[in-house]
Amino acid sequence: MKLCAVCATSLMCLTGFAQAQGQQVSESNFQLLIDTLAVQAEPRKRLTMFGVPTAGVAASGRIFGSASMVSPRGGVDGAGLDFDTAFGFGIGSETESVGVQVTANVTGTNPFGDAGYFGLKFGRRLVDGPNPTSAALSISKLAPWGSIGNNTDASVTLVVTHLNSFSLGDTEYPVMVTSGYGNQTLGGEPGAFLGFGVGLTSNFGMSLSGNVEQINAGVGLSIPGMDGLSISTGFNDI
């Protein structure tokens, strides 16, 4: 069995309950990013994080959905493509009490919906102001169905994310630092992770993340003129 670098791409859209359509975040495979922490802080340039989770939770009244594609499946050369989708919503407030994000992950797409699981994420703003720090506890692989199996252990992750910025000349660039620990970070085993992201333009950001076993690199792109719609792509285990 040959393991190789994995390319993952995710299409995400965020909207409010009052709208008829919505789409971030998938907690599947590589927990492709949710940028809601950056969205709530409203930096002048787009922040992104690929390959590891952040402490961001969907704001109350937000619904979201995402579609992701990974190649090759499971990082095994020649295994083909893997498709996943996720849908969810946010309630509560991370600044006033605790923000809660509820996610349904659909990992079976042939036929659609034949496998999946649910996830919960609890977020709290620790430090407010222009350079906020937030923490979150994420529990996923709850109530699995289909090929996921009833004997699947829940995935538990604790993560802290800090937003800051630096200047080059007259231009300021926002940065995101995220770190945490999960019981299934290292191929199903416990381990820590770390990630750095930087916003380069109002629509484009880059990130680098990893753990003791692999390094991930990715980019995020907001679609101009389409509020809430974004695409992220990157490589795991580069």
Side-chain angles (χ1 to χ4, degrees):
M1 179 175 67
K2 181 181 178 182
L3 298 179
C4 59
V6 178
C7 178
T9 301
S10 177
L11 175 67
M12 173 180 69
C13 178
L14 286 164
T15 187
F17 283 137
Q19 296 177 324
Q21 61 181 6
Q23 201 185 21
Q24 116 120 185
V25 163
S26 173
E27 292 178 334
S28 64
N29 289 334
F30 307 106
Q31 299 188 62
L32 296 174
L33 99 160
I34 304 177
D35 290 333
T36 53
L37 183 65
V39 172
Q40 291 163 6
E42 296 182 353
R44 292 186 297 119
K45 294 180 173 60
R46 186 185 192 279
L47 282 169
T48 189
M49 185 61 64
F50 177 85
V52 299
T54 73
V57 293
S60 183
R62 286 282 192 173
I63 60 175
F64 62 81
S66 73
S68 62
M69 178 184 71
V70 178
S71 177
R73 181 191 302 268
V76 179
D77 193 22
L81 300 176
D82 189 17
F83 297 92
D84 295 295
T85 58
F87 309 91
F89 59 91
I91 56 176
S93 171
E94 68 166 351
T95 58
E96 298 179 2
S97 55
V98 176
V100 181
Q101 179 176 291
V102 182
T103 307
N105 299 272
V106 180
T107 62
T109 56
N110 187 23
F112 181 82
D114 68 336
Y117 56 88
F118 293 94
L120 292 172
K121 193 174 185 181
F122 305 90
R124 170 69 179 172
R125 181 72 57 86
L126 301 179
V127 178
D128 220 330
N131 301 315
T133 300
S134 295
L137 175 66
S138 176
I139 308 174
S140 64
K141 297 184 180 179
L142 299 172
W145 72 88
S147 60
I148 300 296
N150 293 327
N151 295 324
T152 300
D153 293 330
S155 174
V156 181
T157 302
L158 180 63
V159 56
V160 176
T161 301
H162 176 68
L163 299 183
N164 213 310
S165 64
F166 67 93
S167 297
L168 288 178
D170 296 331
T171 304
E172 185 174 7
Y173 297 91
V175 294
M176 176 193 300
V177 181
T178 186
S179 62
Y181 188 89
N183 68 335
Q184 297 185 15
T185 299
L186 307 177
E189 297 298 324
F193 57 85
L194 181 66
F196 300 90
V198 57
L200 299 177
T201 73
S202 59
N203 297 312
F204 181 76
M206 302 178 65
S207 71
L208 188 69
S209 66
N211 53 51
V212 296
E213 291 187 346
Q214 68 179 50
I215 297 176
N216 319 300
V219 298
L221 177 67
S222 297
I223 309 301
M226 303 183 71
D227 185 36
L229 183 64
S230 63
I231 297 175
S232 64
T233 188
F235 289 88
N236 292 83
D237 197 14
I238 59 175

